[in-house]
Amino acid sequence: MTFSAKVKCEIASADFENNAKRAELAALFISCGYVNDPVRAYHAEFRLADAASALSALNLLADFDLTPLQLTKRSARGVTLYFKDSEKIGELLCIIGAHRAFLDFENVKIRKSVDNRINRHANFDAANVDKSISAAVRQIECIDIIDAAVGLRSLGKPLEEIAVIRRENPSIPLQELGAKLSPPITKSAANHRLRKIIEIAEKYK
């Protein structure tokens, strides 16, 4: 099974009960989306039948601050919207509920990064990076569980704020995550809040 097919299988069973926009984007990906195996290249696209469909897709993607490149076929009316930026592709996978695929995608990125850095940093610890990514994916899954069950507002402002920031920034480390909050918090405080979210999510699994 191709990487793109795995993504579609995963999001076909995702729960978007409380987020119609994410459900709409997931359905669009299932109908006309494609994502390349990241081992080969970073590429994701939507193949739309005409300009009107492309405009509708662009507006939907804009709701998530995703701005694709655009290719219009000269020999037909079709329009392809595509992404080459690995960060944006990762965000797209998270938004449409493909969290396992996102983990695989990020692991490939990490391995490529390690390969590029290994000559300069012989002691780079890839296992710790993989562990951090796995933790982030779990955090986002728990955030989605709570959102679907009772909504993020039920968490209270401090936990809701970090839940929203984590969902918008799935791959950044805890220190950077804490710095994005207002007011900023430490790495330890960010970790504590996310642990609380995981504990709460366990009640709704």
Side-chain angles (χ1 to χ4, degrees), residues 180-201:
K180 286 182 174 289
L181 272 66
S182 181
I185 61 175
T186 65
K187 175 182 176 180
S188 177
N191 186 53
H192 176 73
R193 291 188 188 183
L194 289 167
R195 284 183 178 275
K196 288 291 296 181
I197 287 173
I198 292 171
E199 290 175 8
I200 294 168

Side-chain angles (χ1 to χ4, degrees), residues 92-108:
L92 174 64
L93 292 174
C94 283
I95 290 166
I96 61 178
H99 300 305
R100 295 186 189 88
F102 168 75
L103 177 59
D104 292 341
F105 185 87
E106 288 296 308
N107 279 338
V108 170

Side-chain angles (χ1 to χ4, degrees), residues 2-202:
T2 65
F3 185 79
S4 190
K6 290 178 181 178
V7 171
K8 292 185 178 184
C9 286
E10 183 178 357
I11 65 178
S13 59
D15 183 6
F16 301 105
E17 183 178 348
N18 291 341
N19 199 315
K21 286 290 186 181
R22 292 178 67 204
E24 185 179 353
L25 185 56
L28 181 67
F29 186 88
I30 289 174
S31 66
C32 65
Y34 172 82
V35 59
N36 205 63
D37 186 337
V39 172
R40 295 169 53 201
Y42 300 133
H43 180 86
E45 65 180 37
F46 294 87
R47 300 170 185 171
L48 291 311
D50 50 46
S53 299
L55 179 59
S56 177
L58 281 169
N59 289 335
L60 179 59
L61 289 164
D63 288 337
F64 299 98
D65 294 323
L66 293 174
T67 305
L69 300 171
Q70 185 169 332
L71 174 65
T72 302
K73 298 178 182 178
R74 294 181 179 178
S75 60
R77 298 174 62 196
V79 179
T80 298
L81 306 178
Y82 65 96
F83 298 91
K84 291 291 188 182
D85 184 276
S86 62
E87 294 295 328
K88 293 300 181 183
I89 295 172
E91 288 178 28
L92 174 64
L93 292 174
C94 283
I95 290 166
I96 61 178
H99 300 305
R100 295 186 189 88
F102 168 75
L103 177 59
D104 292 341
F105 185 87
E106 288 296 308
N107 279 338
V108 170
K109 283 179 59 181
I110 293 299
R111 293 190 189 99
K112 286 185 175 181
S113 177
V114 170
D115 288 343
N116 291 334
R117 294 180 184 183
I118 202 162
N119 291 330
R120 303 190 306 268
H121 305 284
N123 297 321
F124 185 84
D125 191 352
N128 285 341
V129 177
D130 284 347
K131 183 179 179 181
S132 296
I133 292 172
S134 298
V137 170
R138 185 186 179 202
Q139 291 157 8
I140 293 170
E141 287 177 341
C142 289
I143 290 166
D144 287 344
I145 288 170
I146 296 169
D147 195 10
V150 291
L152 295 183
R153 288 188 179 180
S154 66
L155 293 171
K157 187 175 180 180
L159 295 185
E160 180 188 5
E161 183 183 20
I162 198 167
V164 171
I165 296 296
R166 169 50 91 195
R167 184 183 271 174
E168 293 174 349
N169 301 272
S171 60
I172 65 173
L174 289 176
Q175 186 172 356
E176 292 182 32
L177 190 71
K180 286 182 174 289
L181 272 66
S182 181
I185 61 175
T186 65
K187 175 182 176 180
S188 177
N191 186 53
H192 176 73
R193 291 188 188 183
L194 289 167
R195 284 183 178 275
K196 288 291 296 181
I197 287 173
I198 292 171
E199 290 175 8
I200 294 168
E202 291 295 329

